[in-house]
């Protein structure tokens, strides 16, 4: 063979090889299939990692009501400070402090609050300081300061206000303080002024500029990040904190409504669960309670999905110790909690609990449609307890959809501890509407479970993938690789939208200085936040959900990293609102994959929009210093005329995820 011929043969062989390697997929755009529920992509909020107090909830003062078991925890008291509880203004939060004359004009009495890992304030922002106070021995005054103890300036305080306490009866006093500087770790200092004593209760410092400007509201940037996820469902408040370490510390929604000053403190089980990340001051003020939850769900357009106790204390912490759980005969108050919550959310203002809601400022019903009973419970203890709940809810509220649980693992465990299949069997027998599955699994699991839902029984309850995350082997952080594998696996939700009707990854929030569990979706310190790559994956799905499933196959098989599919996962949807075809594809292989999509039912050329997550460092993540290191990139791609159908040709970079939006 001469040299010219040799080169030609070589070029041809490369061309043939690349043709042979192209992954050809067919998308049938003619026949929209099962509807994709608006609840499909959601959020799950639990007060873990300082997600509520110290996080989403706007309050900046820790232990504002002196109800922590150590009443002055979070406070530094100086001079004459006593904790008292007689004639308290709020019966369920009975403790308050009395500041008295220190006995010499050069001595001082007062308090310093350390906040949650400091108090975060921003330059030019206004903060509302409020306190319930009385001056029993005649007019008194306090000086309120924001201080920077590390400052080398002449003065520690950078802003100050004086408040006259003019009544000998309990009264609320409130002033606005505008911060002249940004400080992530400020403190709040209160001096008694003069010699007349004052009693102080519920000492609060709140940003004025909360999400939707609500007085007892949410930190604006964090709530905004939730809104931008466009969640369809909002699961709350847990998680294991629904159950409590013991029944006394379970989450009791009735303690979280009504005036915020009178909500009793609850221990947070994430305070002590992990002694390698131990936070002895982690409690639940319940300032972000069930009213705030329903209101936030409404604000961000998500269906509220409350989870209530089924009468089981955390099974991880108590296992088969029957004495830890409520006896079957004593279940009624727990069942009443469920029925009353539905009344609180949906009942008329003339009903007992509907009136509580109306008095809190929301006479219109919240229109709640779902309730979960039990978090990730398992075993006979659960099934027998759930039964009377289902009967009572069905009898009074037949339209409410009930979410049961299949336990903490996504399959049967070899040691028979968590019997996943038994859970599903029991939920079918009880006719639960949805079954909540949880999976915190490694890379291998996500790579090999793409067909998980294709074989599910279509006749029984629907699936709620209520907690999931890729926990890399030895890499429990928000690294890029984990997010791509989550994106890949989520194609199986979409393809199986007839049975998978709700999903939410977990956990949602983590404070950089106070986390117990990772990976998480959104991280923050006292003034700044960043979104993880997993967050962007969720957002990409939720904002490109479509309305109906479309069939997408390779060699007539679903694309879920099956043999010969070269690490690809893909699914497609039709968006009836915009008349677009939406394709999602993940390449989980370490090499570039040429892909082609034959769009049957479509003809002609057009330009499609793309959104891509692509990054080289598998262990890299976004951080507070590099919040946008890895974010989705927008682009366009040409759709060509193929043989009788439109044709989209592309190359998927190694370990990448891409969405195409193609106008029909
Ligand atoms: O998301 C953290 C915990 O994981 C939840 O509280 C629990 O439901 C699961 O085990």
């Amino acid at each position: 063979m001469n040299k010219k011929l040799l080169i030609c043969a070589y070029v041809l062989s490369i061309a043939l090889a690349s043709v042979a390697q192209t992954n050809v997929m067919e998308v049938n755009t003619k026949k929209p299939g099962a509807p994709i529920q608006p609840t499909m992509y959601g959020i799950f909020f639990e007060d873990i990692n300082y997600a509520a107090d110290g996080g989403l909830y706007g309050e900046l003062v820790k232990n504002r009501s002196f109800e922590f078991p150590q009443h002055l925890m979070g406070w530094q008291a100086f001079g004459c400070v006593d904790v008292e509880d007689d004639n308290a203004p709020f019966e369920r939060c009975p403790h308050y402090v009395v500041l008295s004359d220190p006995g010499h004009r050069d001595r001082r009495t007062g308090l310093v609050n350390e906040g949650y890992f400091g108090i975060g304030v921003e330059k030019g922002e206004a903060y509302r300081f409020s306190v319930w106070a009385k001056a029993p021995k005649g007019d008194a005054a306090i000086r309120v300061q924001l201080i920077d103890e590390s400052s080398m300036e002449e003065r520690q305080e950078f802003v100050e206000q004086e408040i006259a306490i003019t009544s000998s009866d309990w009264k609320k006093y409130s002033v606005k303080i505008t911060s002249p500087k940004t400080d992530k770790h400020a403190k709040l200092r209160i001096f008694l002024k003069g010699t007349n004593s004052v009693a102080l209760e519920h000492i609060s410092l709140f940003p004025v500029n909360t999400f939707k400007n609500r007085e007892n509201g949410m930190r604006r940037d964090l709530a905004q990040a939730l809104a931008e996820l466009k969640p369809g469902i909002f699961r709350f408040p847990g998680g294991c904190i629904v159950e409590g370490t013991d029944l006394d510390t379970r989450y009791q929604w009735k303690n979280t409504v009504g005036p915020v000053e009178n909500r009793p403190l609850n221990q947070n089980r994430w305070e002590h669960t992990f002694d390698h990340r131990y936070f002895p001051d982690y409690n639940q003020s319940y300032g972000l309670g069930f009213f705030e939850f329903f209101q936030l769900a409404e604000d961000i357009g998500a269906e509220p999905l409350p989870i209530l106790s089924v009468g089981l204390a955390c099974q991880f912490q108590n296992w088969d110790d029957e004495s830890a759980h409520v006896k079957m005969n004593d279940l009624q108050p727990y069942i009443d909690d469920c029925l009353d919550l539905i009344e609180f959310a949906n009942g008329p203002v003339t009903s007992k609990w509907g009136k509580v809601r109306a008095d809190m400022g929301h006479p219109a019903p919240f229109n709640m449609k779902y309730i979960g009973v039990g978090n990730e419970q398992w075993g006979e203890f659960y099934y027998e307890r759930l039964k009377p709940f289902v009967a009572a809810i069905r009898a009074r509220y037949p339209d409410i959809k009930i979410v049961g649980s299949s336990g903490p693992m996504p399959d049967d465990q070899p040691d028979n501890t968590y019997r996943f299949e038994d859970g599903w069997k029991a939920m079918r027998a009880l006719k639960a509407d949805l079954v909540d599955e949880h999976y915190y699994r490694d890379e291998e699991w996500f790579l090999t479970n793409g067909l998980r839902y294709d074989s599910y029984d279509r006749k029984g309850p629907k699936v709620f993938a209520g907690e999931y995350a890729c926990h890399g082997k030895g890499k429990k952080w928000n690294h890029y690789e984990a997010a791509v594998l989550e994106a890949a696996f989520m194609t199986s939700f979409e393809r199986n939208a007839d049975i998978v009707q709700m999903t939410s990854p977990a956990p949602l929030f983590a404070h950089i200085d106070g986390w117990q569990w990772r990976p998480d979706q959104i991280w923050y310190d006292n003034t700044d936040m960043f979104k993880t790559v997993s967050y962007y994956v969720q957002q990409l799905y939720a904002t490109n959900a479509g309305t109906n499933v479309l069939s997408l196959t390779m060699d007539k098989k679903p694309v879920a990293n099956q043999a010969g599919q070269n690490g690809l996962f893909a699914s497609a949807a039709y968006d009836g609102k915009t008349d677009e075809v939406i394709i999602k594809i993940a390449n989980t292989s370490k090499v570039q994959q040429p892909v082609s999509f034959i769009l049957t039912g479509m003809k002609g050329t057009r330009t499609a929009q793309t959104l891509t997550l692509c990054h080289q460092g598998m262990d890299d993540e976004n951080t507070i210093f590099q919040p946008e290191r890895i974010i989705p990139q927008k682009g366009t791609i040409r759709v060509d005329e193929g043989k009788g159908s439109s044709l989209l040709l592309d190359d998927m970079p190694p370990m990448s995820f891409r969405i195409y939006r193609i106008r029909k």
Side-chain angles (χ1 to χ4, degrees):
M1 218 184 284
N2 69 25
K3 205 174 163 194
K4 228 176 177 179
L5 257 175
L6 246 176
I7 292 171
C8 281
Y10 177 67
V11 169
L12 190 68
S13 73
I14 289 179
L16 282 175
S18 81
V19 168
Q21 282 168 7
T22 295
N23 301 280
V24 181
M25 285 163 267
E26 188 176 343
V27 184
N28 184 350
T29 74
K30 280 187 288 198
K31 221 172 119 198
I36 296 166
Q37 298 300 323
T39 51
M40 181 66 136
Y41 304 109
I43 52 175
F44 159 52
F45 178 94
E46 177 171 26
D47 190 359
I48 185 172
N49 304 321
Y50 287 83
D53 296 310
L56 180 62
Y57 182 49
E59 180 61 80
L60 298 168
V61 173
K62 181 163 72 189
N63 191 14
R64 63 187 174 186
S65 291
F66 307 99
E67 296 304 326
F68 280 26
Q70 292 77 19
H71 295 298
L72 286 176
M73 190 180 245
W75 295 95
Q76 191 182 30
F78 50 90
C80 289
V81 178
D82 294 299
V83 177
E84 297 188 5
D85 63 1
D86 56 326
N87 297 319
F90 307 109
E91 54 164 341
R92 297 199 293 180
C93 296
H95 296 94
Y96 59 90
V97 287
V98 177
L99 311 190
S100 312
D101 181 8
H104 187 286
R105 65 167 191 219
D106 277 356
R107 293 205 177 100
R108 318 264 169 230
T109 285
L111 293 162
V112 175
N113 190 271
E114 66 191 24
Y116 298 93
F117 320 102
I119 288 178
V121 288
E122 293 188 76
K123 186 174 175 178
E125 285 293 325
Y127 297 86
R128 184 180 298 104
F129 172 87
S130 66
V131 60
W132 284 80
K134 63 177 179 180
K137 294 182 186 149
D139 286 0
I142 53 174
R143 264 194 302 149
V144 179
Q145 306 177 327
L146 286 173
I147 61 170
D148 174 357
E149 284 179 331
S150 65
S151 170
M152 294 302 285
E153 301 286 325
E154 201 52 36
R155 308 190 68 85
Q156 293 170 316
E157 79 271 16
F158 52 88
V159 61
E160 172 179 272
Q161 288 254 4
E162 197 172 305
I163 303 174
I165 311 298
T166 51
S167 169
S168 57
D169 287 332
W170 287 109
K171 192 179 145 195
K172 186 174 178 180
Y173 298 82
S174 170
V175 289
K176 269 190 204 167
I177 300 175
T178 299
S179 179
K181 71 167 191 171
T182 294
D183 190 338
K184 285 185 197 294
H185 303 291
K187 290 185 178 175
L188 174 75
R189 182 159 65 194
I190 300 169
F191 282 121
L192 174 69
K193 202 166 170 252
T195 53
N196 279 348
S197 58
V198 290
L200 306 177
E201 162 67 312
H202 199 88
I203 301 175
S204 168
L205 184 71
F206 230 95
V208 171
N209 187 11
T210 57
F211 186 63
K212 304 272 177 196
N213 298 316
R214 300 196 196 290
E215 205 164 305
N216 187 51
M218 305 300 131
R219 193 173 133 175
R220 181 173 282 259
D221 57 342
L222 299 183
Q224 186 58 36
L226 295 187
E228 286 168 13
L229 272 173
K230 303 274 179 234
I233 190 87
F234 185 173
R235 178 174 181 250
F236 176 95
C240 294
I241 68 167
V242 166
E243 306 151 29
T245 299
D246 46 33
L247 287 172
D248 285 348
T249 52
R250 75 186 188 279
Y251 196 104
Q252 298 190 52
W253 75 265
K254 287 173 181 162
N255 289 342
T256 76
V257 297
V260 74
E261 296 89 343
N262 203 21
R263 301 183 190 174
L265 188 88
N266 195 28
Q267 187 184 63
N268 190 317
R269 62 154 282 163
W270 298 111
E271 165 208 303
H272 49 262
T273 304
F274 303 120
D275 64 1
H276 62 287
R277 295 201 66 82
Y278 188 62
F279 294 94
D281 61 355
Y282 197 3
N283 290 289
Q284 298 174 77
S285 73
Y286 282 154
L288 194 182
F290 260 75
F291 179 83
E292 290 76 20
F293 154 61
F294 282 121
Q295 195 168 48
L296 181 59
E298 186 174 75
D299 285 344
I300 63 178
E303 293 291 348
L305 167 55
I307 308 293
L308 264 58
S309 165
V310 71
L312 293 173
C314 177
Q315 289 177 274
F316 279 119
Q317 288 171 309
N318 298 283
W319 289 99
D320 293 340
D321 175 4
E322 203 151 354
S323 67
H325 311 304
V326 157
K327 294 198 179 51
M328 286 297 293
N329 288 341
D330 298 332
L331 266 182
Q332 195 55 45
Y334 293 75
I335 297 172
D336 289 344
D337 275 355
C338 286
L339 299 174
D340 293 343
L341 181 72
I342 301 170
E343 185 177 289
F344 175 75
N346 295 352
V349 296
T350 47
S351 63
K352 176 179 171 194
W353 288 104
K355 180 173 182 321
V356 175
R357 181 194 71 238
D359 289 348
M360 292 183 76
H362 203 290
F366 282 116
N367 198 17
M368 154 186 165
K369 301 184 183 77
Y370 304 91
I371 192 164
V373 186
N375 171 39
E376 51 182 26
Q377 321 310 151
W378 69 87
E380 287 306 324
F381 279 4
Y382 176 45
Y383 315 142
E384 63 182 3
R385 280 173 180 74
L386 182 58
K387 196 171 173 184
F389 281 82
V390 173
I393 296 168
R394 294 272 188 249
R396 194 165 320 163
Y397 298 107
D399 294 338
I400 293 283
K401 290 201 169 20
I402 299 174
V403 181
S405 161
S406 57
M409 301 292 163
D411 31 44
D412 282 349
Q413 299 301 294
D415 61 1
N416 243 354
T417 35
Y418 317 101
R419 289 176 295 274
F420 173 80
E421 292 299 342
D422 284 358
W424 260 94
K425 210 166 125 201
M427 294 310 114
R428 276 189 208 103
L430 288 169
K431 296 196 166 46
D433 295 291
L434 291 114
V435 178
D436 184 0
E437 300 189 342
H438 293 179
Y439 27 96
Y440 298 100
R441 290 309 210 218
D442 65 15
E443 297 90 338
E444 188 59 21
W445 190 91
F446 277 81
L447 282 168
T448 53
N449 272 272
L451 290 176
R452 177 180 178 83
Y453 294 115
D454 293 64
S455 55
Y456 265 46
D457 176 4
R458 265 42 195 179
K459 289 195 286 294
K462 307 297 182 200
V463 173
F464 171 35
E467 290 185 33
Y468 68 92
C470 177
H471 282 198
K473 277 199 184 106
K475 286 190 209 169
K476 271 201 196 163
W477 67 89
N478 283 101
H479 58 298
Y480 173 75
E481 181 183 19
V484 171
L485 297 187
E486 287 163 5
F489 180 75
M490 287 173 75
T491 56
S492 70
F493 294 158
E494 180 169 286
R495 188 174 55 256
N496 292 284
D498 59 327
I499 179 122
V500 183
Q501 302 205 331
M502 291 181 190
T503 65
S504 52
L508 190 54
F509 282 123
H511 194 298
I512 284 171
D513 299 318
W515 60 272
Q516 301 85 48
W517 181 299
R518 59 182 180 173
D520 308 288
Q521 298 285 303
I522 300 166
W523 287 78
Y524 47 89
D525 62 17
N526 285 344
T527 53
D528 295 305
M529 54 90 63
F530 70 91
K531 300 163 175 174
T532 62
V533 190
S534 288
Y535 172 100
Y536 287 113
V537 167
Q538 292 297 322
Q539 193 180 42
L540 284 171
Y541 267 89
T543 53
N544 295 282
T547 53
N548 295 79
V549 183
L550 292 177
S551 152
L552 183 154
T553 53
M554 186 168 163
D555 296 328
K556 306 220 179 304
K557 288 186 286 196
V559 183
N561 192 21
Q562 300 202 63
Q565 293 186 335
N566 300 317
L568 296 175
F569 291 76
S571 59
Y574 171 66
D575 191 336
K577 293 182 206 135
T578 58
D579 197 28
E580 282 170 299
V581 170
I582 304 170
I583 299 175
K584 303 183 180 79
I585 180 164
N587 174 14
T588 64
S589 76
K590 303 282 182 282
V591 293
Q592 177 169 299
Q593 294 293 340
V595 292
S596 70
F597 299 97
I598 301 166
L599 304 169
T600 56
M602 283 172 65
K603 288 197 189 308
T605 64
R606 66 237 319 125
T607 300
Q609 310 299 314
T610 60
L611 288 154
T612 304
L613 271 173
C614 179
H615 185 77
Q616 279 188 353
M618 293 300 110
D619 291 351
D620 292 347
E621 59 183 334
N622 292 337
T623 66
I624 203 93
F625 306 110
Q626 280 186 293
E628 302 205 335
R629 185 178 188 189
I630 310 169
I631 57 170
Q633 302 297 331
K634 283 187 180 165
T636 55
I637 191 165
R638 182 111 190 107
V639 177
D640 294 318
E641 180 68 58
K643 280 193 197 141
S645 315
S646 299
L647 180 69
L648 194 160
L649 297 172
D650 199 4
D651 285 314
M652 281 297 290
M655 287 303 289
S656 64
F657 175 62
R658 183 164 288 159
I659 295 181
Y660 305 93
R661 291 194 75 114
I662 312 155
R663 205 160 279 285
K664 261 194 102 182

